[in-house]
Amino acid sequence: MSPSVEMVIGYDGDGRPHDVIVVDGHEAAVTYYELDSDARLLRRGRAQEWLHQQEQRATQASPQAGRWIRRWAHQTAQSGAIAVHGGA
């Protein structure tokens, strides 16, 4: 049986999002890895530097998350978007 995961998002008075992740009925600590296709390094044609930063993140993540980071980082650097179908 796979775990139940829920995400609740609310916005503060300044419009900034805040969220809580609940796994199997318990609040969970979450680490976010955002791959920004509009990152300054990518816009300036410095994809290798940006990919190096993503590789550093991937090595700090769990093996499964690291595979997603690497896959989506390469797709983002190549085409500016990710393919959401298929596993890492």
Side-chain angles (χ1 to χ4, degrees):
M1 180 174 189
S2 52
S4 165
V5 179
E6 301 166 290
M7 181 174 190
V8 180
I9 303 171
Y11 296 85
D12 66 18
D14 293 328
R16 291 179 301 219
H18 298 273
D19 54 64
V20 176
I21 306 296
V22 179
V23 178
D24 289 334
H26 301 282
E27 191 172 327
V30 175
T31 302
Y32 291 92
Y33 302 102
E34 182 176 358
L35 304 173
D36 183 4
S37 62
D38 196 36
R40 183 176 294 152
L41 287 175
L42 290 176
R43 284 186 286 135
R44 293 185 177 170
R46 295 165 57 189
Q48 288 303 334
E49 265 183 81
W50 184 82
L51 283 168
H52 178 71
Q53 289 177 351
Q54 305 322 305
E55 178 58 30
Q56 289 176 320
R57 288 181 178 166
T59 61
Q60 295 172 3
S62 69
Q64 184 67 14
R67 285 189 288 276
W68 279 106
I69 292 168
R70 287 179 184 97
R71 178 179 181 196
W72 281 1
H74 285 279
Q75 290 175 0
T76 299
Q78 290 174 352
S79 66
I82 60 168
V84 294
H85 304 291

